[in-house]
Amino acid sequence: MILDPNHLSALSSILRHGSFEAAATELTVTPSAISQRIKALEDRVGAALINRGPPCTGTPAGLRIAQHAEDIGLLEAKLARELTLDQGTGPARVRVAVPADVLATWFIDAITQVDGLLFDLVVDDQDHSAEWLRRGEVSAAITVGGQPVSGCDTYALGALRYIATASPAYMQQWFAEGVNERSLALAPCLTFNRKDNLQRTWIIEQMGCRISPPSHFLPSPQGFVEAAIAGLGWGMNPVGLAKSALNDGRLRPLLPEAPLDVGLTWQVGRVLSSALVPLTRAVRQTAAKELLPSQS
């Protein structure tokens, strides 16, 4: 199936900005022209592509086709570089799924090393970033563990270390008699979102049983640290974010020498692997500096 590039750019722009009007402004055409392009594209593929908003969002088919359009842009940009052609359309765009803690600790350092790309970062819980790849909605992703996604090249990056932390006052209030099954079942913890299993995973590793403590939901890595310092609850914080507060005593580990190391993997769609070599190189080099070596 051959799809009109103008139709594809209209779809991508609507999903990026959330409205037909904003897409029209970006593409310097009228909103009516954008509507006509989307109607023609929907007629061509035989499916609805946009949930009319506000904001406008993509149907599963729309999201997949929009990602296909961005993939084509990456490959065309690579070809233009190799043939030293004038690339009049500007930088190519790449969509990457990244866990929030990875974005907050080291991923920005990696992508700033790459020229010629515009980044569309999808932030999700670390256990679920691979699903974006499986659905074909991103070109690459930082995933947990080494389970490869079909059709992707996979690179082990190392382990991001987490420490269960709380403020001294919180430790005195909830864990004065020790960190054990009973105290963990009562003490409020911090949870990034309803997909986040880090706290429960740590409890299982340390206690050997499943416990569901009362929980605050707080979807912000830096807010996680600040909430722990303020005594709102205990939570699993990346060492890189919590190091300063641990060093000056604002945070304490719940248990000494009881980290949780989470292995990370870089996965990139095989079709786009050659076009994203500079990005893959930057991600792997930065991860080698910032993460613990992967355990064999």
Side-chain angles (χ1 to χ4, degrees):
M1 179 184 292
I2 299 176
L3 302 177
D4 189 312
N6 290 324
H7 298 170
L8 294 176
S9 63
L11 175 63
S12 295
S13 185
I14 291 169
L15 298 186
R16 194 157 53 244
H17 296 292
S19 74
F20 282 61
E21 292 75 14
T25 299
E26 180 183 54
L27 299 177
T28 62
V29 296
T30 65
S32 176
I34 294 293
S35 296
Q36 292 172 13
R37 292 179 185 182
I38 295 303
K39 183 179 185 305
L41 184 57
E42 290 180 329
D43 290 343
R44 180 79 174 95
V45 301
L49 302 178
I50 293 176
N51 300 311
R52 271 64 174 176
C56 291
T57 58
T59 66
L63 293 170
R64 184 64 190 90
I65 291 174
Q67 183 56 45
H68 170 72
E70 293 188 1
D71 291 349
I72 291 174
L74 285 170
L75 294 173
E76 289 180 343
K78 176 178 180 289
L79 180 62
R81 289 194 303 270
E82 291 174 348
L83 299 179
T84 64
L85 300 175
D86 179 30
Q87 194 176 340
T89 57
R93 186 178 299 274
V94 58
R95 200 168 196 226
V96 182
V98 187
D101 288 338
V102 172
L103 183 61
T105 50
W106 63 270
F107 195 72
I108 295 296
D109 291 340
I111 63 177
T112 54
Q113 301 173 37
V114 184
D115 296 324
L117 288 177
L118 293 175
F119 292 95
D120 182 357
L121 301 183
V122 176
V123 180
D124 202 348
D125 182 79
Q126 58 188 3
D127 292 329
H128 296 267
S129 55
E131 293 301 320
W132 291 84
L133 268 178
R134 293 189 181 96
R135 294 194 301 264
E137 295 177 15
V138 297
S139 301
I142 300 284
T143 65
V144 170
Q147 186 65 35
V149 175
S150 178
C152 293
D153 289 337
T154 302
Y155 305 89
L157 297 177
L160 182 62
R161 172 159 288 185
Y162 289 82
I163 297 179
T165 58
S167 71
Y170 185 92
M171 293 290 293
Q172 181 60 38
Q173 178 181 359
W174 292 100
F175 299 121
E177 298 181 2
V179 178
N180 50 48
E181 293 181 30
R182 182 178 180 279
S183 59
L184 285 170
L186 297 174
C189 73
L190 303 171
T191 303
F192 186 81
N193 58 28
R194 283 165 177 79
K195 301 177 182 178
D196 177 14
N197 289 315
L198 279 177
Q199 284 65 225
R200 293 181 182 180
T201 299
W202 182 82
I203 289 174
I204 290 171
E205 285 199 5
Q206 301 305 319
M207 300 292 125
C209 62
R210 295 183 180 275
I211 297 173
S212 295
S215 181
H216 302 284
F217 292 97
L218 206 163
S220 164
Q222 191 57 49
F224 229 69
V225 176
E226 297 300 328
I229 292 172
L232 187 65
W234 71 270
M236 304 301 299
N237 280 306
V239 170
L241 291 182
K243 184 176 181 180
S244 175
L246 287 166
N247 288 342
D248 64 23
R250 287 176 296 158
L251 285 178
R252 288 172 50 190
L254 265 65
L255 292 174
E257 306 300 325
L260 177 65
D261 294 338
V262 176
L264 301 178
T265 303
W266 173 247
Q267 302 203 52
V268 57
R270 195 161 294 134
V271 172
L272 299 171
S273 185
S274 61
L276 293 177
V277 165
L279 177 58
T280 294
R281 182 186 307 116
V283 168
R284 297 181 71 186
Q285 289 176 346
T286 306
K289 297 176 183 176
E290 300 295 334
L291 302 178
L292 298 173
S294 297
Q295 294 182 357
S296 58

